[in-house]
Amino acid sequence: MKILLTGGLGYIGSHTAVELIKAGHEVIIVDNLSNSERSVKDKIERITQQEVIFYKADLRKEKAIRQIFEDNTVDAVIHFAGLKAVGESVSKPLEYYENNICGTINLLKVMKDYNVNNLVFSSSATVYGASNPMPLTEDCPTSATNPYGRTKLFIEEILKDYYNANKSMNIVILRYFNPVGAHDSGIIGENPKGIPNNLMPFVAKVACGKLDELHVFGNDYDTKDGTCIRDYIHICDLAEGHLAAVNKLNEKCGLKIYNLGTGTGYSVLDVVNTYNKVCENKVKYAFAPRREGDVKECYACPDKALQELGWQAKRNLYDMCLSSYTYEQNQAKRK
Ligand code: UD1
């Protein structure tokens, strides 16, 4: 298939591009480079030995998107593009609504005009809000606690309405848990601009001496070691989940929602201790107050994805930490 990846030079998009190409699909990438680098295109091509068509364009500009569909016969779209920093979304809500929601609406309009009926959407476990019992199943009630989460939730609702009015659409909504780690080649990985907000990229920078120490946000939660529990999933497992979702579209699936997680929760200290095994104890940490908005635990029930997509995560926490460290070391060598 010829698959358009919006935000395809980002962390999840780039790993998915590699996976799709490996499986024989043709990939077109559109990205506005707001949180990614043009060089990632070359890296994808280096890993796959295949050429990738790339457009620098913004989904808020409908005309630019139209041009991509004019130039290419697109069979399916995987829609990753969007702003994703929770804290920033609180201070810049309109930017989040405009980028994420208006961008999606433009994309849907153009897809309709060009008769493209297949869509995979990048959603997030954040749509489960804060009050559900664990593990989270796809039928748990949804809610949002910040503008970023609200954009994901609203887009899911928009897609449901849109599907009800256009039953020829095939839409797979993927709710990601906590994607971490990097491609085995060590060539692509997570490369946030500035100081990372998320745990794994922060730990990676401490391990490589670029940041002094990790602040563990809260050690007084009601968990086994007092720190929060999350469902960390290797980015390559997540990328393979997208391949399974694309295969599902081909079954004329209608609208489906799947969790992409491992089903296992690890604490912040589990992550730090495992990382310290791969980097010879370079991750120093100190306990700090809780971070506002954090929930005590969040992990998936991944059964539906196994039953209906035939997909399941294969890599463990050690693989996640090792690949993250290898990538971060490569980055450090380049600078
Ligand atoms: C965060 C977002 C979530 C988003 C996801 C993307 C928040 C509140 N949630 O999830 O909406 O979908 O990223 O991957 O931001 N931690 C530390 N020290 C740090 C950084 C994190 O102790 O410097 C802890 C956090 O308190 C949390 C865990 O590590 O318990 C994971 O944090 P993070 O990687 O930011 O992910 P989430 O908060 O789960």
Side-chain angles (χ1 to χ4, degrees):
M1 287 168 90
K2 214 175 208 182
I3 305 175
L4 176 67
L5 273 51
T6 74
L9 295 187
Y11 176 43
I12 304 176
S14 58
H15 288 78
T16 302
V18 168
E19 210 50 53
L20 293 170
I21 295 167
K22 243 173 58 188
H25 295 291
E26 225 178 298
V27 161
I28 306 160
I29 288 178
V30 51
D31 199 303
N32 70 2
L33 301 177
S34 68
N35 192 29
S36 60
E37 303 287 338
R38 193 181 281 267
S39 61
V40 172
K41 172 187 181 284
D42 308 328
K43 292 178 180 171
I44 295 169
E45 291 177 338
R46 215 165 97 209
I47 296 170
T48 60
Q49 297 293 307
Q50 298 273 326
E51 217 173 292
V52 167
I53 304 170
F54 171 63
Y55 291 83
K56 178 180 184 300
D58 193 305
L59 295 186
R60 287 169 297 180
K61 303 272 177 339
E62 194 184 317
K63 213 171 135 203
I65 306 311
R66 206 162 277 283
Q67 191 60 48
I68 303 171
F69 285 77
E70 193 60 46
D71 295 349
N72 302 278
T73 310
V74 174
D75 297 309
V77 177
I78 307 184
H79 179 31
F80 300 100
L83 300 176
K84 61 169 188 180
V86 174
E88 184 186 63
S89 80
V90 175
S91 55
K92 299 176 176 170
L94 294 185
E95 285 189 26
Y96 274 68
Y97 290 126
E98 189 175 34
N99 266 281
N100 296 6
I101 295 178
C102 298
T104 302
I105 291 171
N106 283 342
L107 179 66
L108 288 172
K109 283 195 321 205
V110 177
M111 283 175 70
K112 187 172 175 57
D113 290 347
Y114 285 83
N115 251 321
V116 179
N117 292 331
N118 294 317
L119 176 70
V120 176
F121 173 62
S122 292
S123 190
S124 164
T126 194
V127 301
Y128 290 116
S131 50
N132 281 304
M134 298 297 137
L136 295 160
T137 53
E138 288 82 351
D139 53 9
C140 284
T142 52
S143 64
T145 53
N146 56 69
Y148 158 73
R150 240 174 313 277
T151 66
K152 292 294 177 190
L153 193 54
F154 289 170
I155 294 168
E156 286 199 4
E157 296 301 309
I158 290 168
L159 291 176
K160 287 178 199 163
D161 288 338
Y162 187 65
Y163 172 70
N164 284 333
N166 297 273
K167 287 277 167 62
S168 57
M169 284 294 292
N170 301 298
I171 302 177
V172 175
I173 294 173
L174 298 176
R175 292 180 178 158
Y176 308 147
F177 281 70
N178 289 56
V180 296
H183 190 259
D184 283 344
S185 62
I187 296 173
I188 53 171
E190 187 169 16
N191 200 7
K193 291 186 172 162
I195 296 178
N197 295 312
N198 297 114
L199 178 64
M200 195 67 114
F202 199 106
V203 167
K205 294 221 176 321
V206 175
C208 289
K210 286 187 228 152
L211 292 169
D212 289 341
E213 68 174 8
L214 169 74
H215 291 161
V216 175
F217 298 141
N219 63 342
D220 57 352
Y221 287 96
D222 178 21
T223 60
K224 60 174 185 176
D225 60 21
T227 66
C228 291
I229 306 282
R230 293 289 181 276
D231 187 338
Y232 299 96
I233 171 168
H234 195 297
I235 187 70
C236 294
D237 279 326
L238 195 82
E240 289 169 12
H242 290 76
L243 188 60
V246 166
N247 292 337
K248 191 75 189 173
L249 294 174
N250 282 327
E251 290 173 18
K252 304 274 168 270
C253 62
L255 186 142
K256 298 280 182 191
I257 302 180
Y258 299 105
N259 286 337
L260 293 187
T262 66
T264 306
Y266 287 107
S267 71
V268 177
L269 289 183
D270 287 333
V271 172
V272 172
N273 292 335
T274 308
Y275 216 102
N276 270 332
K277 282 189 194 142
V278 306
C279 74
E280 291 159 353
N281 294 317
K282 294 201 187 81
V283 182
K284 304 281 170 264
Y285 66 90
F287 292 116
R290 291 181 177 197
R291 181 172 70 178
E292 205 187 321
D294 275 345
V295 292
K296 156 180 105 158
E297 54 182 4
C298 176
Y299 54 92
C301 170
D303 295 354
K304 191 177 172 196
L306 178 59
Q307 280 155 14
E308 296 186 19
L309 298 178
W311 170 90
Q312 127 186 77
K314 299 193 290 264
R315 297 154 177 96
N316 62 24
L317 186 59
Y318 188 88
D319 302 326
M320 301 179 211
C321 294
L322 182 61
S323 63
S324 157
Y325 187 50
T326 306
Y327 173 71
E328 198 63 36
Q329 282 177 308
N330 288 347
Q331 289 289 101
K333 270 182 235 152
R334 250 175 248 127
K335 280 178 186 149

